[in-house]
Amino acid sequence: MTDIAETRTTPLAAGRAADRIRKRYAAERRFRLYGLVAVCVSIAFLALMLLSIVSKGYTAFQQTMVYVDVHLDESVIDPKGSRNADDLARANYGALIRKTVAGLFPEVSGRRDKRKVRKLLSPGATYDVRAMVMDDPSLIGKRISLWVPASDDFDQLLKGNIRRDVPESDRRVSDKELAWIDSLMEKGLVEKQFNTRFFTAGASQEPELAGILGAAVGSFLTLLVTFLVSFPLGIMTATYLEEFAPKNRWTDLIEVNINNLAAVPSIVFGLLGLAVFLNFFGLPRSAPLVGGLVLALMTLPTIIITSRAALKAVPPSIREAAFGMGASRLQVVVHHVVPLAMPGILTGSIIGMAQALGETAPLLMIGMVAFVADIPTGFFDPATALPVQVYLWADSAERAFVERTSAAIMVLLAFLFIMNLFAVYLRKRFERRW
Amino acid sequence: MAAVEQTIVETQPAPVPKITARSVDMYYGEKQALFDVDLDVAERHVTALIGPSGCGKSTFLRCINRMNDVIDGARVEGTIMLDGENIYDKALDVVQLRARVGMVFQKPNPFPKSIYDNIAYGPRIHGLTDTKDELDHIVATSLEKAGLWNEVRDRLQEPGTGLSGGQQQRLCIARAIAVSPEVILMDEPCSALDPIATAKIEELIDELKENYTIVIVTHSMQQAARVSQFTAFFHLGKLVEYGATENIFTNPTDERTQGYITGRFG
Amino acid sequence: MSTFVLTAALLMIAYFAFRHGRSRALAQAGGKSHALHSLPYYYGYYVALWCGVPALLLVVAWTALQGDIVRALVVSDLPENLRTLPAQELTLLLNNIVNIAEGAALMPADNTDIQAAVAHYQNLQDIAFGALIVLAVTVAVAGILFARGRISPALRARNSVEQAAKWILIASSTVAIFTTVGIVFSLLFEAMRFFRAVPVTDFLFGLEWSPQTAIREDQVGASGAFGAVPLFAGTMLISFIAMVVAAPLGLMAAIYLAEYAKPKLRSIAKPALEILAGIPTVVYGFFAALTVAPMLRNSGDLFGLSISSESALAAGVVMGIMIIPFVSSISDDVITAVPQSLREGSYGMGATQSETIKNVIFPAALPGIVGGLLLAVSRAIGETMIVVMAAGLSANLTANPFQAVTTVTVQIVTLLVGDQEFDSPKTLAAFALGLVLFVITLILNVVALTVVNRYREKYD
């Protein structure tokens, strides 16, 4: 650019004229630079955000585990010897763990220290032992060895999120606890393992036991409802407006209305859901059904708008050909236009679904923020969704939840990425140039 | 047949009229596109509609199978009778009309489906066959009649959009024939084709007139002279002159017709 | 749940109706389908529609009305002393009865009158559902009988079916209308209830917002302050900061990508911006609260500024980042829509590229860009999660970006999340705020869409 300019300006390069031209080109370069800077800054923001989330979150995929021997004492678990499932479930497994810990640290005495040393293990240890016994009652009376999760502070210390070099008063782990942890590590009883629980558990108050499966299932159920409602409605509306509707004031109204709905803040849809679905129709709070309906109304405009664009892209010659054969309008639409527009419609719908998957605010309004430890199994069960889980964890005080939040975000982004990739694939695979 | 129009030359033979149009006016919204057109189309003959661009010949053609219904604000007045039945009668089913009056378009527009499915589409939607064999038979004979059978018999399942332009147009003709229409309307069927493909289509038209009534809109006067027995000259939305093709080309009565065919305008 | 089973059963019946209609039509035509006016399956659909549609409509209407009617019947059979309770308590009592009957209540009925009412309610529900089953099946069968009687080769089954299909399409296109109507009515209705407790003028022009004090019943609306001006100011402050970030960056990025960038850079930068647009807002909120806010506070300390950890600046900047791709994609559309002839005219006179952009393209594209920016503002005002997570709750009336402010959307969320009585002014205030939010964004959207559309028409 610049060298061309110089060669071209040589004949005029006398005094003020040359000066002017130089200034103009300087302005040109400045302007270009501004543009480049704007692009770079925007991308830098994206990189910074992703980097900060990944660097905070990748550790959550590992969990510190402690190897323990537990004596499954029959007199504690099943003194009556009945092997009754109810009795087994209610037995005091905590006492077994207590004994195990006492065995590991025989030198610890005093009630407070004893409790503290027990706190090195997560309460999940108790649940894991119970699950093993419930699974296989024949283990009762034997000694078993297993990996149990460490407590969140223990875990964070090993991951370097709680630093050893700060004074004891500023540290969540006392010097005494540090010594215990070190002795465990010397014995080779501590290991970081892949955190399966994060993918198989529901929400929990204990960060080391909290998982995203409940939220993921909630999101899936919600999106299923959203898809089942908004996809057929979206296609039918788009087809009507694009292929059947006469141009008149009524269809203009529908059109303006759809464009406006697409720009209404999502939280307003949440208010609609609260007032209409919960208070007027009396549907249950926190249910995926209601969440799905609200998100369906929200994504409907997106689906309609993209479907109409896809229908519009089908050339009129196809319609003419079919009409010329004596196909009725419905046959033209069902046999030719809609199938040809389907890749476009699907792409738009997937993008709409991805939006719905990331949406949080309307779900807060209809109570999908409840603490739900169980994994939902139906459309009427109380549930939460992935982005809401992110919001809830982000609000929690424990340091360990920061890493879980970041990890949940990574999972959420992975889902969104896959959906968008699929949409791009569909577009590339079935794109038709007319 | 009664005297129809002052401009009809006396030497015209009197075949049975398949289509009779009487005082047809056609409007696109406020704009009038056809003015008081009266025209008889002879059965099992080729009738060519000629005239300069925008003269209404394509518009008139599209009136015959009510393709203009698709356009918003289009409106037709007057009557067009097909075998004595008014096609603009409210009780008439436009879908059945188009099964009887097929159409071939300016640009070949095969469906993006296989060759077989392109042909089979019409018989399927109109329920012409009960068995697969019957359908296969219709596909084969239609392609044969369109002179395409030998070229595509081995690749019936390949997409129709993969054929050459001339083949695509013959495919469209075969598609139109497949529902056994009585009339075939052709809207400049050769304008997007090269001369060799054009010659093939013209040959085909000549064969088809044994069984079908054909109305063809064309820009090329040579083509009209080659393929048609009757020619109608349109100008500014009016039917100026109509008669046997040889008379129109050798001895036109209207000076506008003469001007057009001798190339003074158009 | 049982309604679902009934619906499924009706759909099954409709399917058999379809088979029946098809075969009957074929039989009447002597097995020759071209003797029929329409294809045989159209006769099937014809019968199925007559069978299914009226019955399903009946089910929908019945389920919508059943609850209210049964409740009214239960009330009318309550003992005198309960029936004459004030309306609010009666509603509570009824809710209690329904909960017990459906096994959802924590406490069993403690009183014989209520136990009787529960039994009565269950009884009525059973009767109603039984009646619905009988009626729906009768209607379905009657539909089949009617339709099959009309089947003949001359019946224009296709035309009827297509007419019905068209009406179904029309009905689905009205859902969008009903959504808008639903939004307007639900917001208006609840907001009116709020304005009965708190005067509109106090709400719109009051300078103090502290809804928490109004929870106590004895001082409803009396001392709880519902002056929304600090919320409006906070919303505007944060949106303003967001636009200060997003407008120049988004616009310049769009210009660079549309006019200067080499294809290679464009092929990287454009998808990157799209990714930025696809990231859920809750992620931005997390980023704002955990990364940007501490960063700003620390750098503020360096310069001796005290920046609140929930400053308007942090929320505004991150919201700006979120809006960049929105601004850039609309600007990109608008800029590329400017006809090439305008550019060539300018180059032909010896203008540089930047001069052409500044003097020709930008003015020509201005209406479209302004429309796009208005849409972006509307989005900033309605954005919820970023401000919920990064902005504060304290309703400060300030223009200082380093202080914490709160916004309309934050307050809607805090007022409605958690368990509250639905008719306290505190929760109703959320709907009044929602109404304001809806009206403002609606006005912005309508103006912006009109401007953008008029611009598009100009160059189409």
Side-chain angles (χ1 to χ4, degrees):
Chain A
M1 204 67 211
T2 37
D3 9 349
I4 299 174
E6 271 152 29
T7 49
R8 206 189 278 153
T9 50
T10 23
L12 294 167
R16 298 227 314 261
D19 223 37
R20 231 187 109 67
I21 290 201
R22 215 172 301 125
K23 271 188 189 150
R24 284 174 64 193
Y25 276 104
E28 169 76 25
R29 278 193 298 274
R30 264 200 315 277
F31 191 75
R32 268 183 87 143
L33 188 68
Y34 294 153
L36 190 60
V37 166
V39 173
C40 292
V41 167
S42 310
I43 294 178
F45 275 132
L46 174 67
L48 178 67
M49 186 156 80
L50 294 181
L51 209 70
S52 93
I53 285 164
V54 172
S55 67
K56 283 199 180 90
Y58 76 98
T59 48
F61 297 111
Q62 285 202 317
Q63 165 69 35
T64 307
M65 305 290 272
V66 181
Y67 195 64
V68 291
D69 281 329
V70 182
H71 174 53
L72 299 177
D73 191 348
E74 182 160 14
S75 64
V76 174
I77 300 173
D78 196 12
K80 285 178 275 178
S82 64
R83 298 292 190 267
N84 178 309
D86 273 359
D87 289 345
L88 290 187
R90 243 174 287 147
N92 187 1
Y93 295 93
L96 299 178
I97 299 292
R98 228 172 294 157
K99 236 185 230 168
T100 308
V101 175
L104 279 171
F105 298 99
E107 75 283 3
V108 175
S109 60
R111 279 179 68 96
R112 283 187 56 194
D113 277 2
K114 276 189 169 166
R115 190 175 324 140
K116 267 193 177 161
V117 78
R118 275 207 302 278
K119 282 270 164 78
L120 288 180
L121 295 187
S122 157
T126 318
Y127 308 147
D128 286 357
V129 172
R130 175 169 59 197
M132 278 185 85
V133 172
M134 299 289 293
D135 241 25
D136 182 9
S138 69
L139 289 173
I140 294 173
K142 294 181 187 152
R143 291 196 83 82
I144 54 166
S145 309
L146 74 164
W147 289 99
V148 295
S151 73
D152 52 332
D153 286 342
F154 189 167
D155 184 47
Q156 293 302 304
L157 181 81
L158 255 69
K159 286 172 178 166
N161 290 334
I162 296 177
R163 298 174 52 158
R164 284 165 179 266
D165 50 8
V166 290
E168 186 179 7
S169 54
D170 292 353
R171 202 187 319 126
R172 272 188 64 90
V173 182
S174 67
D175 287 343
K176 225 185 228 168
E177 287 167 310
L178 266 183
W180 294 331
I181 289 173
D182 287 339
S183 84
L184 277 179
M185 286 172 63
E186 270 161 37
K187 287 183 206 157
L189 297 176
V190 180
E191 201 176 286
K192 275 196 250 174
Q193 296 181 347
F194 180 70
N195 189 358
T196 33
R197 205 183 279 263
F198 184 67
F199 295 98
T200 54
S204 170
Q205 306 284 19
E206 308 292 335
E208 71 276 10
L209 300 181
I212 51 161
L213 185 63
V217 171
S219 269
F220 174 76
L221 292 173
T222 308
L223 279 197
L224 193 64
V225 175
T226 304
F227 183 78
L228 290 179
V229 173
S230 63
F231 185 67
L233 271 183
I235 291 192
M236 291 201 289
T237 306
T239 312
Y240 175 69
L241 291 178
E242 203 52 49
E243 304 288 331
F244 289 87
K247 275 264 156 282
N248 60 26
R249 221 175 272 162
W250 173 244
T251 45
D252 278 353
L253 179 71
I254 296 182
E255 206 165 333
V256 169
N257 178 43
I258 288 170
N259 286 335
N260 273 316
L261 270 186
V264 167
S266 61
I267 194 170
V268 171
F269 284 95
L271 289 173
L272 170 75
L274 175 60
V276 173
F277 295 132
L278 296 189
N279 288 329
F280 188 71
F281 286 119
L283 291 171
R285 265 177 92 85
S286 313
L289 177 73
V290 180
L293 286 175
V294 169
L295 293 183
L297 293 183
M298 206 192 75
T299 43
L300 196 55
T302 314
I303 296 184
I304 295 173
I305 290 169
T306 47
S307 301
R308 287 191 68 181
L311 291 170
K312 221 176 242 161
V314 176
S317 69
I318 297 288
R319 293 184 186 85
E320 284 198 328
F323 276 127
M325 297 294 304
S328 65
R329 195 176 275 274
L330 190 69
Q331 284 171 328
V332 171
V333 170
V334 173
H335 295 170
H336 300 283
V337 182
V338 170
L340 289 174
M342 201 38 102
I345 294 175
L346 278 178
T347 310
S349 306
I350 294 171
I351 289 169
M353 288 295 119
Q355 272 173 17
L357 175 59
E359 199 52 69
T360 322
L363 301 184
L364 299 184
M365 297 291 95
I366 54 151
M368 283 184 86
V369 276
F371 174 78
V372 184
D374 296 325
I375 289 159
T377 54
F379 296 111
F380 291 93
D381 288 358
T384 187
L386 273 177
V388 183
Q389 188 72 75
V390 168
Y391 166 68
L392 285 173
W393 282 350
D395 247 15
S396 303
E398 282 95 340
R399 182 69 183 77
F401 269 123
V402 171
E403 104 185 350
R404 308 273 150 169
T405 313
S406 307
I409 288 176
M410 285 157 75
V411 172
L412 177 62
L413 290 182
F415 277 125
L416 290 176
F417 186 71
I418 292 169
M419 286 169 89
N420 280 297
L421 213 60
F422 187 56
V424 171
Y425 167 77
L426 272 181
R427 189 161 44 194
K428 287 264 175 328
R429 171 78 178 68
F430 293 105
E431 195 172 49
R432 222 181 255 279
R433 290 249 164 262
W434 300 102
Chain B
M1 196 192 102
V4 173
E5 180 74 0
Q6 64 275 30
T7 51
I8 287 187
V9 188
E10 309 99 73
T11 54
Q12 187 200 333
V16 195
K18 181 75 179 171
I19 299 165
T20 39
R22 286 294 172 275
S23 38
V24 174
D25 293 314
M26 156 85 206
Y27 305 84
Y28 290 117
E30 294 298 300
K31 195 172 155 283
Q32 189 164 2
L34 286 179
F35 300 84
D36 195 29
V37 173
D38 288 3
L39 185 85
D40 286 7
V41 175
E43 189 162 19
R44 291 170 210 259
H45 285 78
V46 179
T47 305
L49 310 182
I50 61 169
S53 298
C55 67
K57 55 193 190 302
S58 281
T59 302
F60 179 72
L61 189 78
R62 294 168 71 97
C63 287
I64 302 178
N65 71 345
R66 289 181 56 177
M67 280 301 279
N68 287 329
D69 287 15
V70 181
I71 300 161
D72 270 337
R75 181 159 57 85
V76 175
E77 285 169 12
T79 57
I80 299 179
M81 312 286 259
L82 176 67
D83 287 338
E85 194 184 346
N86 186 3
I87 66 166
Y88 281 92
D89 193 330
K90 281 227 161 51
L92 181 124
D93 191 353
V94 67
V95 163
Q96 285 175 325
L97 169 70
R98 289 184 194 145
R100 292 171 63 192
V101 184
M103 186 154 188
V104 176
F105 297 85
Q106 191 167 359
K107 241 179 79 192
N109 53 357
F111 300 129
K113 297 169 181 270
S114 71
I115 294 172
Y116 184 95
D117 285 338
N118 260 286
I119 311 286
Y121 180 69
R124 278 191 188 132
I125 60 167
H126 294 298
L128 300 182
T129 58
D130 290 320
T131 63
K132 176 91 171 80
D133 286 347
E134 283 177 37
L135 193 58
D136 288 348
H137 179 71
I138 289 187
V139 171
T141 50
S142 309
L143 283 169
E144 252 164 42
K145 282 189 205 160
L148 198 59
W149 177 242
N150 290 329
E151 291 160 61
V152 302
R153 60 190 309 167
D154 300 325
R155 44 177 179 146
L156 289 178
Q157 294 311 320
E158 283 175 30
T161 42
L163 298 172
S164 74
Q167 288 174 322
Q168 285 191 9
Q169 194 61 298
R170 278 181 285 150
L171 178 68
C172 291
I173 293 174
R175 187 175 69 190
I177 297 170
V179 292
S180 320
E182 298 154 32
V183 182
I184 301 175
L185 308 177
M186 298 188 176
D187 191 357
E188 301 190 35
C190 302
S191 65
L193 304 180
D194 60 72
I196 297 173
T198 302
K200 276 203 176 143
I201 303 268
E202 285 178 5
E203 238 170 77
L204 176 60
I205 291 172
D206 206 47
E207 285 165 26
L208 290 174
K209 76 166 192 290
E210 304 300 320
N211 295 309
Y212 307 96
T213 306
I214 293 173
V215 185
I216 178 170
V217 165
T218 175
H219 245 109
S220 146
M221 277 168 295
Q222 291 89 331
Q223 186 172 61
R226 282 195 299 266
V227 301
S228 71
Q229 290 78 54
F230 299 97
T231 296
F233 173 65
F234 280 78
H235 184 59
L236 297 177
K238 295 191 176 95
L239 175 63
V240 175
E241 187 164 356
Y242 176 44
T245 300
E246 47 201 275
N247 288 339
I248 294 274
F249 280 93
T250 52
N251 189 19
T253 50
D254 194 290
E255 62 183 61
R256 284 168 296 181
T257 318
Q258 193 165 18
Y260 181 69
I261 58 175
T262 52
R264 273 214 303 272
F265 68 92
Chain C
M1 208 61 210
S2 38
T3 318
F4 281 106
V5 178
L6 179 61
T7 310
L10 286 176
L11 289 177
M12 288 289 287
I13 298 179
Y15 174 70
F16 284 113
F18 170 79
R19 310 264 313 233
H20 176 71
R22 194 177 52 179
S23 55
R24 185 174 165 86
L26 263 177
Q28 286 202 355
K32 294 272 176 231
S33 64
H34 40 257
L36 294 168
H37 167 272
S38 313
L39 290 176
Y41 64 79
Y42 279 111
Y43 293 89
Y45 285 134
Y46 181 77
V47 181
L49 282 170
W50 269 108
C51 159
V53 173
L56 287 175
L57 284 179
L58 176 79
V59 172
V60 170
W62 191 283
T63 0
L65 295 176
Q66 181 177 331
D68 284 345
I69 293 175
V70 168
R71 275 163 172 254
L73 286 175
V74 170
V75 170
S76 69
D77 284 1
L78 280 176
E80 183 66 31
N81 60 330
L82 293 179
R83 193 156 26 108
T84 47
L85 282 173
Q88 242 174 350
E89 284 177 48
L90 192 61
T91 320
L92 274 176
L93 180 73
L94 258 181
N95 284 340
N96 198 18
I97 291 173
V98 172
N99 282 338
I100 296 171
E102 285 168 1
L106 298 170
M107 283 174 294
D110 48 359
N111 152 334
T112 47
D113 283 342
I114 293 181
Q115 274 165 1
V118 168
H120 189 47
Y121 174 83
Q122 279 166 332
N123 189 22
L124 284 174
Q125 284 283 13
D126 289 347
I127 294 176
F129 189 65
L132 173 59
I133 293 177
V134 173
L135 258 177
V137 174
T138 315
V139 168
V141 172
I144 296 179
L145 291 177
F146 172 75
R148 86 190 280 270
R150 298 191 48 168
I151 288 182
S152 72
L155 175 70
R156 297 176 155 213
R158 181 174 49 68
N159 307 46
S160 314
V161 170
E162 288 186 346
Q163 207 56 33
K166 190 174 155 189
W167 280 104
I168 292 171
L169 290 183
I170 292 178
S172 71
S173 75
T174 57
V175 170
I177 299 271
F178 280 119
T179 309
T180 309
V181 171
I183 288 174
V184 170
F185 272 82
S186 56
L187 292 180
L188 262 183
F189 182 71
E190 307 292 352
M192 290 317 261
R193 285 171 66 190
F194 172 71
F195 291 136
R196 242 172 269 149
V198 178
V200 189
T201 45
D202 287 8
F203 173 71
L204 286 181
F205 304 112
L207 296 182
E208 200 188 335
W209 177 266
S210 57
Q212 274 68 17
T213 50
I215 310 172
R216 271 170 287 156
E217 293 241 345
D218 49 331
Q219 25 176 251
V220 165
S223 86
F226 287 101
V229 170
L231 312 191
F232 301 150
T235 307
M236 285 199 313
L237 178 61
I238 290 184
S239 305
F240 177 74
I241 296 171
M243 292 313 291
V244 166
V245 173
L249 282 178
L251 193 54
M252 283 310 291
I255 288 175
Y256 188 80
L257 290 178
E259 301 283 331
Y260 287 109
K262 296 205 173 66
K264 201 168 167 206
L265 175 65
R266 203 170 15 222
S267 71
I268 300 169
K270 273 200 156 182
L273 286 177
E274 276 169 33
I275 294 177
L276 213 49
I279 290 178
T281 54
V282 70
V283 178
Y284 283 98
F286 182 69
F287 178 62
L290 250 91
T291 308
V292 177
M295 222 157 72
L296 283 176
R297 200 185 42 212
N298 294 341
S299 52
D301 288 347
L302 283 182
F303 298 104
L305 283 169
S306 87
I307 300 182
S308 153
S309 61
E310 294 180 327
S311 65
L313 192 59
V317 166
V318 173
M319 193 187 280
I321 299 174
M322 185 198 85
I323 293 175
I324 289 173
F326 196 74
V327 174
S328 76
S329 86
I330 293 185
S331 311
D332 190 66
D333 284 354
V334 167
I335 289 168
T336 43
V338 175
Q340 198 58 28
S341 56
L342 281 182
R343 286 187 185 82
E344 281 159 5
S346 168
Y347 294 144
M349 283 170 19
T352 65
Q353 210 167 349
S354 66
E355 285 161 353
T356 305
I357 293 167
K358 278 185 267 189
N359 301 328
V360 178
I361 299 177
F362 191 73
L366 192 62
I369 291 173
V370 169
L373 290 179
L374 284 180
L375 280 180
V377 171
S378 136
R379 174 162 278 217
I381 291 176
E383 172 46 41
T384 308
M385 290 322 289
I386 294 176
V387 281
V388 165
M389 294 169 81
L393 288 175
S394 49
N396 295 326
L397 189 53
T398 175
N400 180 353
F402 302 134
Q403 277 190 8
V405 293
T406 190
T407 72
V408 173
T409 48
V410 172
Q411 289 304 318
I412 294 177
V413 170
T414 35
L415 291 174
L416 285 180
V417 171
D419 294 315
Q420 270 111 23
E421 278 308 310
F422 192 66
D423 27 18
S424 80
K426 194 181 147 188
T427 44
L428 292 177
F431 284 91
L433 289 174
L435 184 64
V436 173
L437 184 64
F438 179 73
V439 169
I440 289 176
T441 51
L442 185 73
I443 292 170
L444 280 173
N445 294 340
V446 169
V447 172
L449 288 173
T450 325
V451 171
V452 172
N453 280 341
R454 203 166 289 162
Y455 171 78
R456 283 214 184 107
E457 276 161 22
K458 201 166 121 194
Y459 288 121
D460 251 357

